[in-house]
Every structure is written in C-alpha cells, then in structure tokens.
Amino acid sequence: MQRVQLILRGHWRQFHSNLNKFCESGESEHLHQARIGWRRLKSSLHFFCPLYRNVLPFPSHSLRPLLEQIGKVRDVDVALEETLPEWRELYAGDCPLRRAKWDSMLKALRDQREQGRLAISQAFHQAQIHHNLMSAAQWIEAL
C-alpha cells in the first residue's frame, strides 16, 4: 500500500506544485503539467480503486469547478499557441477583411484566456478551494 501512496503522492505533487507555479507565473506549460498530473492521479485512482474498497472516495468532486476552468484555459492555450497559427494563412491569405476578422477572433480568445487564468488564480487562493486541496492531499496521506 505504501507504493500506491507514493504513486498517488507523486501525481498529486505534479498537479499541485504546477498549479501553484502557474498561479505565480501564468506560464502555459505549468498549467499543462498540472493537468497531466491530475489526469495521472485520476487514472491511478481508478486503477487502484479495488485495493481501497473500505476507504471513502477521493474528494475530487469539490475540485470540479477549478478543474473545469483549468481544462477550458488549457484548450484555449493549445488553440492560440499550436493550432490556430497554422491556419491563419489558409483562412485569411491576402484578404484584409479576413485578416481583420482573424485578428479579432485571436483578441477575443486571448481575452478569454486571460479571464480564465485570473479565475484559476483567484479560485486557487480561495479558502474553500484551499481547504478542498488540503483535504485531497490528506486523503492520500491517510492511505
């Protein structure tokens, strides 16, 4: 059981430390790594669940709003940083009207991303979310 706890603890640390770094720096890579840590944690919990039939379920439901916001912001990050740059010329070409529409769309997405980043940072520092994060960490430590 200690090995399972070590695995879960490692995934939790990847999630929590990268989320903290993201809130400090706003760097997309930290948000990406936090999301990877969460997915690994979730997968490991699912895999090891049969070993812990008598343990209360992992308290992830209380983190759902934060996790959904992380997912939305990460999706916009990928669109802005990886997907859309390749499509600009295909869509806009040399047409000034299409270029203006494209630039307007990018501005709206950047604004949406910034609002989402701010919401993540604010949520991360809220007492209830902090309590929920600590509850999740304590759950792992109590295994």
Side-chain angles (χ1 to χ4, degrees):
M1 295 298 187
Q2 284 182 340
R3 289 183 183 181
V4 171
Q5 187 181 44
L6 287 173
I7 291 167
L8 297 177
R9 187 183 297 141
H11 298 327
W12 174 257
R13 285 185 180 155
Q14 181 182 5
F15 167 71
H16 190 262
S17 67
N18 277 287
L19 184 56
N20 190 40
K21 289 175 187 174
F22 171 77
C23 290
E24 291 173 0
S25 70
E27 290 183 32
S28 298
E29 184 60 23
H30 293 305
L31 189 64
H32 176 56
Q33 290 301 318
R35 198 168 179 207
I36 289 172
W38 181 260
R39 286 183 171 179
R40 288 177 177 168
L41 177 64
K42 213 168 107 172
S43 294
S44 295
L45 286 167
H46 179 73
F47 180 76
F48 294 120
C49 184
L51 300 174
Y52 296 98
R53 292 187 195 280
N54 297 326
V55 177
L56 290 172
F58 184 74
S60 64
H61 64 281
S62 60
L63 298 174
R64 188 166 296 146
L66 175 64
L67 296 168
E68 287 174 358
Q69 189 65 41
I70 289 170
K72 289 177 186 176
V73 170
R74 181 63 191 149
D75 289 347
V76 174
D77 277 342
V78 170
L80 286 170
E81 296 171 9
E82 297 175 25
T83 308
L84 293 176
E86 296 177 18
W87 296 349
R88 185 174 196 264
E89 287 307 313
L90 284 171
Y91 173 78
D94 293 331
C95 178
L97 181 59
R98 283 187 168 215
R99 284 185 179 269
K101 286 181 180 181
W102 187 267
D103 292 343
S104 177
M105 176 193 66
L106 289 180
K107 182 185 180 324
L109 286 171
R110 286 186 192 110
D111 291 347
Q112 179 183 345
R113 177 173 63 180
E114 288 310 309
Q115 290 170 1
R117 287 177 173 195
L118 181 60
I120 291 169
S121 185
Q122 289 173 342
F124 184 71
H125 293 97
Q126 288 177 354
Q128 185 61 46
I129 294 293
H130 181 74
H131 172 75
N132 296 342
L133 290 166
M134 291 300 99
S135 294
Q138 290 169 351
W139 183 93
I140 293 169
E141 295 306 317
L143 291 178

